[in-house]
Amino acid sequence: AQRVTQPEKLLSVFKGAPVELKCNYSYSGSPELFWYVQYSRQRLQLLLRHISRESIKGFTADLNKGETSFHLKKPFAQEEDSAMYYCALQTGANNLFFGTGTRLTVIP
Amino acid sequence: NAGVTQTPKFRVLKTGQSMTLLCAQDMNHEYMYWYRQDPGMGLRLIHYSVGEGTTAKGEVPDGYNVSRLKKQNFLLGLESAAPSQTSVYFCASSTANYGYTFGSGTRLTVV
């Protein structure tokens, strides 16, 4: 069965420090992975998807099939990055499974 | 372009009352979804629809019903609300080939 694991519920880093939000998945097929972000009192927004291989707001994520991971990274955290981050695995057009989320706090 | 619009934004119900949450999208998306968001549990899929007139159960469908009479609307109903249904409800829509677009959420409290 498919599963998405985000081991850290809370993560705090200082402004300017590197940040890594961990995501591991379990899926026997070819995974399609996403990161969604939810800023305070706002709706969930798509941050990035692995097949795009793009960098959004300085964040990147690389799919590592060997380690079944899709960790989200940013070299220098900013205060505006404080938010809830969800890793999600899509196994079909209408099957999107979310992790439990990591709340990132960037300390000034 | 409004994207995905949910109404109402907030609601307080008494146990046993019924209500309907409305989700409307103007992007001509085929797929629509209802999720609930609870602390420590992430988002869990309640029901979804792959097209007008079709619905299917998700991970946590009990206590909810849905209808998709028009392509742009997806309704979530609670026939007899229970305190366990206190949550934040998110609607989303998508095409087959891109990520989901979410609404701003409905915060429901059942007392």
Side-chain angles (χ1 to χ4, degrees):
Chain A
Q2 56 282 328
R3 185 162 61 182
V4 178
T5 302
Q6 293 180 251
E8 304 142 328
K9 288 188 176 181
L10 304 170
L11 181 64
S12 296
V13 300
F14 285 101
K15 178 182 174 181
V19 60
E20 181 180 53
L21 289 83
K22 291 183 168 52
C23 172
N24 288 91
Y25 67 92
S26 174
Y27 180 51
S28 58
S30 183
E32 187 164 354
L33 287 145
F34 301 81
W35 276 98
Y36 283 82
V37 60
Q38 187 178 27
Y39 300 103
S40 180
R41 300 182 184 279
Q42 294 187 27
R43 67 186 70 193
L44 274 85
Q45 306 171 36
L46 178 64
L47 181 61
L48 53 79
R49 57 192 308 213
H50 88 272
I51 63 173
S52 303
R53 302 188 65 81
E54 56 194 347
S55 173
I56 303 294
K57 299 186 179 183
F59 285 98
T60 60
D62 291 320
L63 176 61
N64 186 323
K65 291 187 177 181
E67 296 182 358
T68 60
S69 67
F70 189 55
H71 303 328
L72 184 68
K73 300 177 183 179
K74 184 170 182 177
F76 307 104
Q78 303 299 314
E79 290 180 65
E80 55 266 29
D81 295 330
S82 294
M84 192 77 174
Y85 291 81
Y86 290 97
C87 182
L89 166 68
Q90 187 160 356
T91 63
N94 44 52
N95 288 302
L96 186 66
F97 297 91
F98 286 86
T100 52
T102 298
R103 182 171 297 282
L104 174 66
T105 301
V106 180
I107 304 166
Chain B
N1 188 341
V4 177
T5 303
Q6 290 182 233
T7 54
K9 294 188 184 303
F10 304 94
R11 185 72 185 268
V12 178
L13 285 180
K14 293 183 178 179
T15 298
Q17 284 185 319
S18 63
M19 77 163 295
T20 300
L21 282 67
L22 172 63
C23 177
Q25 54 99 359
D26 60 3
M27 298 171 288
N28 202 35
H29 285 174
E30 285 296 324
Y31 307 113
M32 296 187 75
Y33 317 83
W34 276 106
Y35 284 87
R36 59 178 290 172
Q37 182 186 41
D38 300 292
M41 305 191 76
L43 281 83
R44 293 179 292 168
L45 182 64
I46 304 171
H47 285 279
Y48 65 96
S49 167
V50 300
E52 181 179 322
T54 73
T55 64
K57 294 181 179 180
E59 183 184 356
V60 288
D62 293 342
Y64 305 96
N65 57 76
V66 288
S67 64
R68 183 116 180 254
L69 299 179
K70 294 182 179 180
K71 185 177 184 179
Q72 64 269 32
N73 296 335
F74 194 31
L75 279 63
L76 178 71
L78 286 74
E79 292 184 347
S80 180
S84 61
Q85 294 178 304
T86 293
S87 187
V88 181
Y89 292 85
F90 285 98
C91 176
S93 70
S94 74
T95 62
N97 300 312
Y98 200 66
Y100 292 18
T101 301
F102 283 85
S104 57
T106 297
R107 186 172 297 274
L108 175 66
T109 302
V110 183
V111 298

